[in-house]
C-alpha cells in the first residue's frame, strides 16, 4: 500500500520489524493481507493517504443479489475468484466504498484492496503514469517509453489522463463484448467516446461530469425574472442581481458565483465554436446528423493543430466570462485575507454560496448537489440559515410561492456562432446551427453545447496485471456497472435508462432531494444525453462538447489558467474595470501569449503526434502520420514531416558542383556527411517498416477477432412478419413495434438455430431513399422465403454453422427467420449502422440459407436496368456472397432472378459466371470521388479500406477449413486470381480528375497465410465451435462435427437407418401439404393468406423463441 514520503511514495510488500517512516502507516497491514487472514485491513494514515477497509473472509450467497442486481447471482463462492486479491488505486473517498467491498467479498470470496492516492485528484495523473508507464513520441519522432512500477492492478481515472497511458491499460472492448449485462450502448455517448482510443475502450465509465448552472428560485421570483437560456442573458441577470440583497442582511450581494478555472471558461467557449460534430440532413421532418465527422471542437484545428483562440467566437466567450466575474463573488473574495468580511484571497464558489449572497452558481454536478440540497438534509454547501440571539431562524432561503428554492438548469447556449469560412460571428440559422433549438420566449435559434469537462470517474485495468487479477477487477467493475447510480461510489446518473426509472427518483426523494430537484436533474440529463445523431424524436440531436483528451492535457490547462484566467480576466485592470467590454490591447496580448504557450506545449510532444491523437479522440477517419503530412503539408511547415519526403532523385547532380571546386578532404567530408544522412534515412525507414509491420500484425489479429464474436447484434425478422408486410419496412419501424429478434452473441445465434432456420437475403438497392420502391424485389423475396418453408425438413437437416439436432424440426412461419439489410440494420443511427455493416461477413457465414434476389427491373431513381449483372457489379454484394461461400461452400446458396421468386441452387456454373472479386466491384464512395458534401477539399475514407479487415477474417476462416470439400473449390477459385481478390494497392479517386495509388492489402494476405500456417490449432474455428458445442451440451445432444461451417449436406447426427428414411419421406409429404394449406399461393397473395398477423401485435424476444 502507498505511504506518503517527502519526496514521493513508497510501497511496502511485507512486514519489516523496526521500520519507522514519518507519516507512514504500520507495514504489518500488508503482511496480514498477504497472509489471507483478512480481505483487507482498515487503516487510516495521519495524512489520509489511503484507506483499506476491513472485510471478513467467507461467502454469503445472500449478498449476491443486492440492490436489484443479478450479475453476481451465479458467482457465489466463484472458484475462479476465491482466494484471488487485487489492488485498486483511487483518488477520492466515498463512504459507499466499504459496503460495496464487503458485499462483493461476501459473495465471491475475492479480495479487493482499495488504496487512496496521498495527493488526491491533483496527483493522480502523475501516479497513474508512474504505475502504468508511458509510451508516446516527442518532437523529432523519438520514442519516449518508461516502464511502470506495476504495483496496482486497477485505477479510478478521468478521461484526460488516459492518452499517455492508454497503451499500458487493458483493452476492455473484448470484455465488454462478452458481458451482455453491461449494456454498453446504454451509457451516454459522450462518456463512451471519452474513454475510446483507436476504436478500443481503455476504461469503463461509471459516472459523468459536466458543467451546469444552479439558480435560486426564491430570488428570481422576488424580482419577477426568468432563468437564462443564453450566455448573454446569464451575464445580464448576473449584472442585474449584483448589488441587491438576497439574504435580508441589508448588505449588497452578488450575481452568479463561481470558481474561475479552465473547465468553466471552456463551457462559455463551447456554444460559440461547436455546432455539430457530424454533418446533418433532414429526413421526414427530423434532423439526422449521421454524416461525415466535421472535426468541430473548441480547442484545436484538426488539420493544422492551430489553437482556436484567435477568432471572434473565443473573444466573445471571454467577454461574457469577464462580465460574470465582475458581478460575482470574485471582486470581494479576491481581496487580501482579513481586509474585508468575505475577503479570503481567492474565488471560492462553495464558501460564497453558503453565505446566501449568490443568486446562482456555475459548477460541476457533485458540488452543485451539495449547494442546492436542503441545508438540513446534507446540503453542506447550501445557504445556511441565520439565527437571532435566541437561536430562532430569522432567515433561510424560501421561495415566496412555496416551491423549493434550489434549481438546476442546463448550461446556456448562444444565438451567435463562429463561422470559420468568414471568421465572423453569425446569427444561428438551420444550416449553420443544425442542432439549435428555438428560444422559449423570443423564438431565436439557440445553439447549445454542454461541456462534459473531465468526463467523470472511469475504471481502468493495468494491461500487464496477472490474468486472474484482471478477471477479478473486471467482474468487480461489471458488478458495479449493474448497480443503481445511488449505490455507486463517486457516481451520478450516467446511463440513458436511469433517466426513465421511477425507482431511481424514489431513492433520490428518500435521500432528502426535493421533488423539484429530482425533476430538474432528470430534465437536464435528458438534454445532455441526447443522441448526437438522431436526438430523441422530440428534440434535435445532442451537441455535447468533449474535453481535451490529449497528451499534455494538464499542461495546456495550466497555460489557459495562468494566462487567460489569472493573467487577464482576474487582473486588476480587467476585473475591476467599470467600462464595458474588454481592454483590446490587454486581450490581444493575452491571446497571443496563450497561442504561443499552446504551440510550445505542442512542439514538446510533436505536432504530428498531437494532430493524429486529436483526430482519434474526435473519431475522425483514421489517417497515418504519412497521410497527415501528405494531406496537410501545404498548411504547416514542420520538420517532423521531412521523414516522409522522397529522397532526391539524382545524388550525382548534388555532388558534381562541390567536386568540381573542392578536392581531397572536401570529397571525404561530403562522403561522410552523405553517409550520415543515409544512415539516418535508413534508421527512419526501418522505424517506419517496423511500425507498419506492427500495425499489420495488429490488423491480422483484429481480423480474426471479428469472426470470433459478433461486432454488433444479429437482428432477425420472423417469416410470419416478413411475409405479412406490404413492402420492405425499415429497422426502426419494426423495432418500435417489437417485431425484431436480437441475438447478442454467437452463442445466442447457435442456441437460436437449434430450433430455427436463418435465411440471409442479399439484394441491390433499387432507389436512393428506399431499397425497393415498387416492391419488385420484395415480392421475389416473399416467394423465395415461402419456397424455403415449403421444402420443409429437407432443409432443416441441412444445417451449417455447426448446429445439429437429434431430430428434425418442422419449418413453419414461426421457425424461419429472415435477415435483410433494410430491416436488420439501423437506418437512422450512423454509428450502429457502421458496426452492423462491419459484421456482415459474420451474419452471412452463420446463416443457414443464403439467397441472392436479383430480378430484372429498372432503378426507380436513375431508370437504368437492374438485374443479376448489376447486382454482381456492386462491391458490397460481392462481399456478402464471398463471405457465405468461404464459410460453407456453395451448399444452401440460391439465386433468384425471376420476379416470381423461383430459385435455383448456386452451382459451379454460377460461380464461374459471378465475379466474386470484391475490390473490382463498384462502390458509391468511389463514384462520388470520396468527396465530403461539406467542402471541396475534404475527402472520406474508401469503403474498400473499410472492407480489408472483414475480408481478411473471411479468408482466414476459409484457410482454416481448407479440408472441407465445398470450401476447397472456392479456395482453388480464389488461388487462380489471388492478386485480384486481394489487391495490394488501389486507385483512390479524389474529386473528379485526381487519382492516387494507396495501399490496400499490401503484404497482409501473405502474412495471414503464414499466421494460419503457424497456428498449432484452428483457434478461430475452435472458438466459434465452442459456442456451438456449449449449446449442444445444454440441450443434451451429442455431435461429432467440430467446425463451424461444415458442408450443410452432411448428416448432423448418427447415420439414420434406412427404415427411418421411408417414414420420414412420408412425414415430409404430410408436412408439405399442411404448409401449402397455410401458405396458400404466397407468390401472389401473401397478405391475404397471413391476414391474421394484423389482428394482434407481435412482441418477440429471444426467450420466447428459445
Amino acid at each position: 500500500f502507498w505511504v506518503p514520503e517527502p519526496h514521493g511514495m513508497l510501497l511496502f510488500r511485507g512486514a519489516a520489524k523496526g521500520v519507522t517512516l514519518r507519516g507512514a502507516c504500520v507495514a504489518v497491514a500488508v503482511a496480514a493481507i498477504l497472509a489471507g487472514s483478512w480481505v483487507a485491513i482498515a487503516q487510516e494514515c495521519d495524512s489520509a493517504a489511503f484507506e483499506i477497509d476491513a472485510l471478513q473472509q467467507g461467502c454469503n450467497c445472500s449478498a449476491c443479489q443486492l440492490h436489484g442486481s443479478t450479475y453476481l447471482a451465479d458467482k457465489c463462492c466463484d472458484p475462479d475468484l476465491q482466494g484471488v486479491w487485487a489492488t485498486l488505486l483511487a483518488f477520492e473517498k466515498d463512504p459507499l466504498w466499504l459496503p460495496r467491498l464487503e458485499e462483493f467479498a461476501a459473495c465471491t470470496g475475492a479480495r479487493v484492496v482499495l488504496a487512496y492516492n496521498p495527493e488526491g485528484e491533483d496527483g493522480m495523473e502523475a501516479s497513474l503514469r508512474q504505475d502504468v508507464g508511458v509510451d508516446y513520441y516527442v518532437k523529432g519522432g523519438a520514442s519516449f517509453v518508461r516502464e511502470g512500477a506495476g504495483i496496482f492492478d486497477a485505477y479510478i481515472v478521468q478521461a484526460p489522463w488516459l492518452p499517455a497511458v492508454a497503451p499500458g491499460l487493458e483493452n476492455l472492448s473484448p470484455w465488454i463484448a462478452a458481458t451482455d449485462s453491461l449494456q454498453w450502448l446504454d451509457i451516454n455517448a459522450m462518456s463512451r467516446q471519452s474513454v475510446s482510443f483507436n476504436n478500443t475502450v481503455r476504461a469503463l465509465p461509471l459516472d459523468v461530469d459536466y458543467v451546469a448552472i444552479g439558480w435560486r428560485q426564491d430570488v428570481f421570483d422576488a424580482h419577477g425574472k426568468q432563468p437564462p437560456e443564453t450566455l448573454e442573458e446569464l451575464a445580464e441577470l448576473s449584472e442585474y442581481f449584483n448589488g441587491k440583497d438576497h439574504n435580508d442582511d441589508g448588505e449588497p450581494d452578488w450575481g452568479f458565483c463561481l470558481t474561475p478555472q479552465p473547465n468553466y471558461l471552456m463551457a462559455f467557449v463551447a456554444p460559440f465554436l461547436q455546432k455539430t460534430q457530424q454533418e446533418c440532413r433532414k429526413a421526414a421532418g427530423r434532423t439526422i446528423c449521421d454524416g461525415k465527422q466535421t472535426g468541430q471542437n473548441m480547442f484545436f484545428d484538426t488539420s493544422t493543430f492551430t489553437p482556436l483562440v484567435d477568432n471572434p467566437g473565443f473573444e466573445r466567450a471571454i467577454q461574457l466570462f469577464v462580465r460574470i466575474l465582475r458581478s460575482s463573488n470574485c471582486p470581494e473574495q479576491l481581496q487580501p485575507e482579513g481586509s474585508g468580511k468575505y475577503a479570503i484571497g481567492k474565488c471560492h464558489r462553495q464558501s460564497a454560496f453558503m453565505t446566501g449572497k449568490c443568486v446562482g452558481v456555475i459548477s460541476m454536478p457533485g458540488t452543485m448537489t451539495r449547494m442546492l440540497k436542503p441545508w438540513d438534509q446534507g446540503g453542506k454547501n447550501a445557504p445556511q440559515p441565520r439565527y437571532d440571539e435566541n437561536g430562532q431562524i430569522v432567515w433561510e432561503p424560501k421561495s415566496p410561492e412555496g416551491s423549493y428554492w434550489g434549481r438546476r438548469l442546463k448550461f446556456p447556449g448562444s444565438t451567435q456562432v463562429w463561422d470559420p469560412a468568414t471568421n465572423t460571428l453569425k446569427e444561428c440559422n438551420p444550416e449553420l446551427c443544425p442542432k439549435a433549438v428555438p428560444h422559449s420566449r423570443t423564438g431565436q435559434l439557440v445553439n447549445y453545447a454542454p461541456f462534459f469537462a473531465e468526463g467523470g470517474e472511469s475504471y481502468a485495468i493495468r494491461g500487464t496485471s496477472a490474468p486472474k487479477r484482471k478477471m477479478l477487477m473486471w467482474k468487480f467493475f461489471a458488478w458495479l456497472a449493474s448497480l443503481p447510480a445511488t449505490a455507486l461510489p463517486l457516481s451520478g446518473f450516467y446511463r440513458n435508462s436511469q433517466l426513465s426509472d421511477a425507482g431511481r427518483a424514489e431513492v433520490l426523494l428518500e435521500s432528502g432531494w426535493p421533488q423539484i430537484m429530482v425533476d430538474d436533474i432528470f430534465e437536464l440529463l435528458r438534454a445532455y444525453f441526447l443522441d448526437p445523431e438522431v436526438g430523441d424524436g422530440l428534440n434535435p440531436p445532442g451537441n455535447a462538447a468533449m474535453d481535451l483528451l490529449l497528451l499534455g492535457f494538464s499542461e495546456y490547462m495550466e497555460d489557459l489558467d495562468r494566462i487567460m484566467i489569472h493573467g487577464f480576466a482576474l487582473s486588476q485592470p480587467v476585473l475591476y474595470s467599470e467600462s464595458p467590454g474588454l481592454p483590446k490591447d490587454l486581450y490581444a496580448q493575452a491571446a497571443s501569449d496563450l497561442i504561443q504557450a499552446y504551440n510550445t506545449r505542442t512542439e514538446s510532444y510533436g505536432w504530428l503526434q498531437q494532430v493524429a491523437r486529436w483526430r482519434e479522440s474526435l473519431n475522425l477517419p483514421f489517417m497515418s502520420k504519412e497521410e497527415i503530412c501528405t494531406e496537410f503539408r501545404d498548411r504547416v511547415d514542420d520538420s517532423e514531416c521531412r521523414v516522409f519526403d522522397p529522397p532526391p532523385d539524382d545524388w550525382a547532380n548534388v555532388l558534381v558542383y562541390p567536386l568540381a571546386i573542392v578536392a581531397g578532404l572536401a570529397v571525404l567530408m561530403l562522403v561522410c556527411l552523405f553517409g550520415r544522412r543515409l544512415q539516418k534515412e535508413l534508421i527512419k525507414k526501418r522505424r517506419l517498416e517496423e511500425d507498419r509491420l506492427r500495425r499489420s500484425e495488429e490488423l491480422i489479429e483484429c481480423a480474426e477477432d471479428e469472426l470470433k464474436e459478433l461486432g454488433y447484434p444479429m437482428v432477425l425478422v420472423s417469416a410470419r412478419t416478413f411475409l405479412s408486410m406490404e413492402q420492405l419496412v425499415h429497422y426502426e419501424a419494426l423495432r418500435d413495434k417489437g417485431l425484431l429478434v436480437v441475438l447478442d452473441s454467437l452463442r445466442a445465434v447457435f442456441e437460436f438455430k437449434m430450433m430455427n432456420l436463418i435465411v440471409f437475403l442479399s439484394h441491390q438497392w433499387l432507389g436512393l431513399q428506399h431499397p425497393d420502391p415498387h416492391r419488385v424485389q420484395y415480392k421475389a423475396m416473399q416467394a423465395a422465403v415461402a419456397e424455403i418453408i415449403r421444402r420443409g425438413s429437407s432443409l432443416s437437416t441441412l444445417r451449417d454453422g455447426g448446429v445439429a439436432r437429434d431430430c428434425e424440426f418442422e419449418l413453419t412461419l414461426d421457425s424461419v427467420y429472415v435477415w435483410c439489410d433494410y430491416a436488420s440494420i439501423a437506418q437512422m443511427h450512423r454509428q450502429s449502422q457502421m458496426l452492423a455493416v462491419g459484421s456482415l461477413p459474420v451474419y452471412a457465414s452463420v446463416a443457414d440459407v443464403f439467397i441472392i434476389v436479383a430480378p430484372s427491373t429498372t432503378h426507380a431513381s436513375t431508370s437504368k436496368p437492374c438485374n443479376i449483372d448489376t447486382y454482381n457489379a456492386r462491391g458490397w454484394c460481392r462481399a456478402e456472397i464471398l463471405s457465405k461461400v468461404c464459410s460453407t461452400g456453395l451448399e444452401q446458396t440460391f439465386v433468384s432472378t425471376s420476379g416470381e421468386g423461383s430459385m435455383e441452387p448456386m452451382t459451379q456454373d454460377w460461380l464461374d459466371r459471378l465475379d466474386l472479386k470484391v475490390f473490382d466491384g463498384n462502390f458509391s464512395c468511389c463514384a462520388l470521388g470520396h468527396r465530403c458534401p461539406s467542402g471541396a477539399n475534404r475527402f472520406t475514407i474508401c469503403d474498400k479500406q473499410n472492407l480489408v479487415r472483414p475480408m481478411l477474417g473471411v479468408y482466414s476462416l476459409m484457410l482454416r477449413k481448407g479440408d472441407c470439400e465445398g470450401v476447397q473449390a472456392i479456395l482453388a477459385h480464389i488461388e487462380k486470381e489471388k492478386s485480384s481478390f486481394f489487391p495490394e494497392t488501389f486507385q483512390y479517386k479524389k474529386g473528379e480528375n485526381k487519382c492516387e495509388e494507396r495501399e490496400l492489402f499490401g503484404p497482409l494476405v501473405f502474412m495471414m497465410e503464414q499466421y494460419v500456417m503457424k497456428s498449432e490449432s484452428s483457434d478461430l474455428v475452435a472458438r466459434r465451435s465452442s459456442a456451438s458445442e456449449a449449446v449442444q451440451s445444454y440441450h443434451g445432444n451429442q455431435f461429432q462435427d467440430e467446425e463451424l461451417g461444415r458442408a450443410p449436406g452432411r448428416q448432423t447426427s448418427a447415420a439414420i437407418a434406412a427404415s427411418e428414411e421411408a417414414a420420414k419421406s412420408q412425414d415430409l409429404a404430410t408436412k408439405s401439404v399442411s404448409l401449402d394449406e397455410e401458405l396458400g399461393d404466397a407468390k401472389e397473395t401473401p397478405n391475404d393468406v397471413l391476414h391474421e398477423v394484423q389482428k394482434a401485435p407481435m412482441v418477440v424476444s429471444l426467450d420466447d423463441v428459445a
Side-chain angles (χ1 to χ4, degrees):
F1 57 90
W2 292 103
V3 294
E5 265 286 80
H7 306 293
M9 293 179 288
L10 298 177
L11 174 79
F12 284 79
R13 292 191 178 275
K17 293 182 179 179
V19 175
T20 304
L21 286 173
R22 181 177 53 192
C25 296
V26 182
V28 294
V30 174
I33 294 173
L34 299 179
S37 59
W38 299 83
V39 174
I41 305 298
Q43 186 71 37
E44 183 74 14
C45 285
D46 58 342
S47 63
F50 74 92
E51 178 181 311
I52 302 180
D53 303 308
L55 306 172
Q56 293 289 346
Q57 284 188 359
C59 296
N60 177 6
C61 294
S62 63
C64 297
Q65 299 191 53
L66 299 174
H67 312 292
S69 169
T70 59
Y71 176 79
L72 294 177
D74 60 347
K75 297 177 179 62
C76 185
C77 291
D78 191 335
D80 293 331
L81 297 180
Q82 270 197 307
V84 181
W85 66 278
T87 52
L88 172 64
L89 180 62
F91 59 86
E92 185 177 354
K93 291 187 177 183
D94 190 300
L96 291 177
W97 272 122
L98 179 58
R100 298 299 87 82
L101 292 170
E102 288 177 336
E103 291 158 3
F104 185 78
C107 172
T108 63
R111 295 171 281 181
V112 175
V113 179
L114 176 67
Y116 289 110
N117 186 288
E119 298 178 11
E121 183 176 347
D122 292 339
M124 186 64 183
E125 182 179 9
S127 298
L128 192 64
R129 291 188 177 203
Q130 292 171 8
D131 202 56
V132 178
V134 293
D135 183 359
Y136 55 84
Y137 292 96
V138 294
K139 183 183 179 183
S143 178
F144 182 77
V145 180
R146 184 176 66 193
E147 292 187 5
I151 296 168
F152 293 94
D153 301 294
Y155 317 88
I156 299 177
V157 301
Q158 290 183 348
W161 305 337
L162 296 178
V165 299
L169 296 176
E170 180 77 0
N171 175 12
L172 299 184
S173 298
W175 298 85
I176 291 171
T179 310
D180 295 339
S181 63
L182 185 68
Q183 296 181 320
W184 172 248
L185 295 179
D186 184 40
I187 299 173
N188 74 86
M190 185 53 66
S191 292
R192 299 199 311 269
Q193 181 179 348
S194 66
V195 295
S196 300
F197 299 86
N198 277 337
N199 295 318
T200 64
V201 180
R202 299 293 169 166
L204 180 63
L206 300 184
D207 180 37
V208 63
D209 271 340
Y210 49 83
V211 179
I213 65 170
W215 58 286
R216 284 177 51 186
Q217 186 167 355
D218 59 323
V219 181
F220 272 69
D221 287 349
H223 291 265
K225 295 293 184 179
Q226 294 295 318
E229 297 182 36
T230 68
L231 290 171
E232 180 70 35
E233 292 174 350
L234 178 67
E236 290 174 354
L237 286 167
S238 189
E239 292 166 341
Y240 170 83
F241 283 115
N242 186 39
K244 294 179 171 56
D245 186 6
H246 310 322
N247 57 3
D248 295 342
D249 63 355
E251 298 178 358
D253 294 330
W254 308 316
F256 278 83
C257 294
L258 76 162
T259 303
Q261 54 194 41
N263 56 337
Y264 299 134
L265 172 57
M266 295 312 295
F268 279 74
V269 176
F272 289 99
L273 267 59
Q274 180 175 303
K275 286 85 72 178
T276 177
Q277 287 191 318
Q278 286 181 270
E279 294 172 349
C280 302
R281 58 185 172 87
K282 287 289 186 180
R286 294 175 57 189
T287 299
I288 306 296
C289 299
D290 59 355
K292 303 302 179 184
Q293 297 287 340
T294 65
Q296 290 180 14
N297 68 94
M298 51 190 182
F299 293 104
F300 293 97
D301 183 273
T302 55
S303 58
T304 64
F305 211 69
T306 301
L308 298 178
V309 172
D310 187 16
N311 64 75
F314 189 88
E315 182 177 355
R316 180 64 172 150
I318 296 297
Q319 184 181 33
L320 292 169
F321 186 70
V322 168
R323 288 175 62 185
I324 296 293
L325 289 177
R326 289 171 177 170
S327 56
S328 73
N329 53 308
C330 289
E332 195 165 347
Q333 281 194 319
L334 272 177
Q335 297 299 320
E337 188 171 1
S339 62
K341 183 176 180 182
Y342 299 103
I344 57 176
K346 63 179 180 179
C347 301
H348 191 252
R349 64 191 185 282
Q350 293 97 319
S351 61
F353 202 76
M354 291 175 66
T355 65
K357 295 174 68 66
C358 304
V359 73
V361 66
I362 299 172
S363 188
M364 302 283 272
T367 308
M368 178 86 75
T369 296
R370 293 192 291 271
M371 289 189 283
L372 298 183
K373 197 174 180 182
W375 62 269
D376 56 351
Q377 295 291 329
K380 65 178 184 179
N381 298 128
Q384 301 298 302
R386 193 168 58 254
Y387 300 88
D388 61 16
E389 62 275 6
N390 298 319
Q392 299 297 314
I393 295 178
V394 295
W395 177 86
E396 63 176 324
K398 187 176 297 183
S399 175
E401 295 182 359
S403 57
Y404 185 68
W405 62 268
R407 303 297 303 275
R408 192 181 317 231
L409 186 69
K410 67 181 178 180
F411 199 76
S414 174
T415 58
Q416 292 184 318
V417 293
W418 174 47
D419 179 19
T422 60
N423 196 31
T424 59
L425 281 177
K426 288 187 176 181
E427 293 292 327
C428 270
N429 59 57
E431 289 71 34
L432 191 59
C433 309
K435 297 182 176 181
V437 297
H439 192 289
S440 66
R441 297 186 292 276
T442 68
Q444 285 182 284
L445 287 180
V446 180
N447 182 60
Y448 291 94
F451 181 36
F452 282 67
E454 300 173 358
E457 276 70 23
S458 298
Y459 295 68
I461 301 174
R462 179 166 52 84
T464 56
S465 182
K468 282 196 172 184
R469 293 186 178 185
K470 287 196 285 190
M471 178 182 65
L472 164 59
M473 293 313 306
W474 172 254
K475 291 187 176 182
F476 180 60
F477 292 168
W479 174 63
L480 292 178
S482 70
L483 302 180
T486 50
L488 274 177
L490 308 172
S491 180
F493 294 103
Y494 65 98
R495 291 182 177 273
N496 290 288
S497 62
Q498 291 169 341
L499 306 184
S500 58
D501 189 342
R504 304 289 201 278
E506 291 175 6
V507 172
L508 294 180
L509 291 172
E510 292 172 1
S511 302
W513 285 50
Q515 180 65 56
I516 192 65
M517 277 189 67
V518 177
D519 296 340
D520 281 350
I521 193 170
F522 275 37
E523 182 178 353
L524 180 146
L525 289 178
R526 288 190 185 99
Y528 278 27
F529 289 178
L530 280 172
D531 188 286
E533 293 189 359
V534 298
D536 61 1
L538 299 176
N539 299 287
N543 186 35
M546 185 176 66
D547 213 336
L548 184 64
L549 305 183
L550 200 65
L551 286 168
F553 161 79
S554 298
E555 297 153 292
Y556 285 114
M557 293 302 101
E558 287 172 6
D559 291 335
L560 180 63
D561 186 53
R562 174 175 53 85
I563 296 171
M564 193 56 70
I565 296 179
H566 285 86
F568 174 72
L570 295 179
S571 66
Q572 287 278 342
V574 176
L575 183 64
Y576 297 98
S577 173
E578 295 182 359
S579 63
L582 301 176
K584 291 295 184 182
D585 54 341
L586 293 179
Y587 174 75
Q589 185 61 53
S592 176
D593 292 345
L594 181 60
I595 292 172
Q596 183 177 354
Y598 276 2
N599 288 338
T600 301
R601 298 293 186 192
T602 300
E603 187 177 359
S604 67
Y605 285 103
W607 170 84
L608 192 57
Q609 174 176 238
Q610 295 296 73
V611 171
R613 287 178 178 259
W614 190 223
R615 290 177 62 85
E616 292 170 8
S617 297
L618 294 173
N619 283 335
L620 291 169
F622 173 78
M623 294 180 69
S624 68
K625 293 179 180 178
E626 182 175 4
E627 289 174 323
I628 292 174
C629 282
T630 302
E631 193 78 23
F632 305 125
R633 188 64 178 271
D634 58 332
R635 305 186 192 179
V636 63
D637 181 16
D638 196 285
S639 59
E640 295 176 78
C641 287
R642 292 174 188 165
V643 66
F644 303 112
D645 290 345
D649 294 332
D650 189 359
W651 283 103
N653 292 334
V654 177
L655 297 176
V656 166
Y657 182 73
L659 287 174
I661 299 175
V662 184
L665 183 60
V667 174
L668 179 61
M669 292 176 62
L670 287 173
V671 171
C672 291
L673 289 173
F674 172 73
R676 183 177 180 83
R677 176 164 182 173
L678 181 61
Q679 182 185 26
K680 289 183 177 180
E681 293 292 337
L682 290 174
I683 291 174
K684 291 177 181 178
K685 183 177 180 181
R686 182 177 63 184
R687 183 180 295 159
L688 289 173
E689 289 296 328
E690 290 175 351
D691 184 59
R692 181 188 181 197
L693 178 61
R694 177 182 58 79
R695 286 187 283 111
S696 297
E697 290 173 345
E698 291 176 353
L699 186 58
I700 293 292
E701 294 176 358
C702 289
E704 290 221 322
D705 287 342
E706 285 195 351
L707 285 182
K708 295 176 184 176
E709 295 291 347
L710 289 178
Y712 192 80
M714 189 174 191
V715 179
L716 305 173
V717 185
S718 71
R720 182 179 294 277
T721 299
F722 188 79
L723 295 179
S724 69
M725 301 185 301
E726 294 292 338
Q727 62 176 2
L728 285 177
V729 179
H730 61 79
Y731 165 89
E732 285 76 11
L734 294 171
R735 176 200 63 193
D736 294 345
K737 292 182 179 179
L739 299 176
L740 297 177
V741 171
V742 180
L743 306 177
D744 295 309
S745 64
L746 278 178
R747 180 188 177 94
V749 172
F750 293 137
E751 182 168 351
F752 183 74
K753 283 157 61 84
M754 291 297 299
M755 294 302 294
N756 299 281
L757 189 104
I758 298 176
V759 178
F760 188 105
L761 298 176
S762 178
H763 67 104
Q764 61 187 316
W765 276 48
L766 301 180
L768 297 179
Q769 302 298 326
H770 191 279
D772 189 22
H774 302 307
R775 303 177 63 243
V776 177
Q777 289 185 148
Y778 177 59
K779 292 179 181 178
M781 291 175 180
Q782 285 182 308
V785 172
E787 179 62 23
I788 291 298
I789 298 175
R790 282 198 183 92
R791 298 191 183 191
S793 58
S794 63
L795 278 175
S796 65
T797 57
L798 300 177
R799 302 277 292 180
D800 63 354
V803 178
R805 293 152 307 284
D806 57 2
C807 62
E808 299 170 3
F809 67 89
E810 182 179 1
L811 294 186
T812 68
L813 295 172
D814 298 315
S815 65
V816 173
Y817 283 79
V818 172
W819 189 99
C820 181
D821 59 356
Y822 195 56
S824 300
I825 293 180
Q827 301 298 311
M828 295 184 181
H829 194 280
R830 180 68 174 172
Q831 292 179 342
S832 297
Q833 186 180 72
M834 294 312 297
L835 286 172
V837 169
S839 298
L840 272 177
V842 186
Y843 299 156
S845 67
V846 299
D848 298 301
V849 178
F850 184 95
I851 305 175
I852 297 171
V853 181
S856 296
T857 183
T858 56
H859 194 279
S861 302
T862 65
S863 299
K864 293 182 179 180
C866 293
N867 48 42
I868 185 64
D869 295 322
T870 58
Y871 163 89
N872 186 229
R874 299 208 37 89
W876 282 104
C877 294
R878 294 182 181 187
E880 292 175 359
I881 304 173
L882 188 62
S883 300
K884 177 59 178 175
V885 298
C886 284
S887 175
T888 62
L890 301 179
E891 297 292 339
Q892 295 190 31
T893 303
F894 301 91
V895 182
S896 174
T897 58
S898 168
E900 297 179 354
S902 59
M903 303 184 304
E904 56 180 303
M906 173 81 79
T907 61
Q908 187 63 43
D909 291 340
W910 267 111
L911 188 63
D912 294 337
R913 175 183 172 182
L914 294 177
D915 192 340
L916 300 186
K917 294 188 283 291
V918 175
F919 299 93
D920 285 347
N922 298 331
F923 290 89
S924 298
C925 61
C926 300
L928 296 172
H930 303 99
R931 192 183 301 279
C932 290
S934 62
N937 294 321
R938 299 185 62 238
F939 301 91
T940 67
I941 193 171
C942 183
D943 283 347
K944 294 181 181 181
Q945 294 168 285
N946 288 327
L947 268 171
V948 167
R949 190 160 64 184
M951 286 296 100
L952 267 180
V954 167
Y955 186 52
S956 166
L957 180 62
M958 182 172 55
L959 290 174
R960 295 179 183 275
K961 299 172 59 179
D963 58 340
C964 295
E965 181 179 350
V967 176
Q968 284 177 350
I970 307 302
L971 196 57
H973 186 74
I974 291 177
E975 192 66 30
K976 296 176 183 177
E977 299 181 86
K978 188 185 298 183
S979 61
S980 297
F981 275 93
F982 307 109
E984 293 186 3
T985 62
F986 77 110
Q987 291 296 318
Y988 178 85
K989 187 177 180 182
K990 296 182 68 174
E992 296 180 1
N993 302 316
K994 186 178 178 181
C995 287
E996 62 185 30
E997 187 174 32
R998 290 189 178 184
E999 185 174 85
L1000 196 60
F1001 282 90
L1004 290 172
V1005 174
F1006 174 77
M1007 292 176 66
M1008 177 62 83
E1009 292 169 346
Q1010 296 297 309
Y1011 183 87
V1012 173
M1013 188 181 302
K1014 291 178 181 179
S1015 299
E1016 294 182 358
S1017 62
S1018 297
D1019 295 334
L1020 177 62
V1021 176
R1023 172 73 178 272
R1024 301 182 77 182
S1025 179
S1026 65
S1028 172
E1029 290 169 0
V1031 174
Q1032 296 162 3
S1033 175
Y1034 176 79
H1035 287 279
N1037 296 327
Q1038 300 297 322
F1039 305 103
Q1040 301 185 12
D1041 289 321
E1042 296 180 356
E1043 297 176 347
L1044 166 68
R1046 66 185 186 282
R1050 300 181 187 175
Q1051 295 294 338
T1052 58
S1053 59
I1056 302 175
S1059 59
E1060 294 177 321
E1061 291 293 337
K1064 289 184 178 180
S1065 298
Q1066 179 63 37
D1067 183 48
L1068 176 60
T1070 304
K1071 291 177 180 177
S1072 178
V1073 171
S1074 62
L1075 280 171
D1076 283 334
E1077 293 172 351
E1078 183 177 1
L1079 286 171
D1081 190 356
K1083 298 178 182 178
E1084 297 178 2
T1085 58
N1087 291 305
D1088 293 336
V1089 176
L1090 298 172
H1091 63 89
E1092 71 276 5
V1093 177
Q1094 310 296 334
K1095 296 179 181 178
M1098 293 176 60
V1099 181
V1100 183
S1101 68
L1102 180 57
D1103 292 335
D1104 296 329
V1105 297

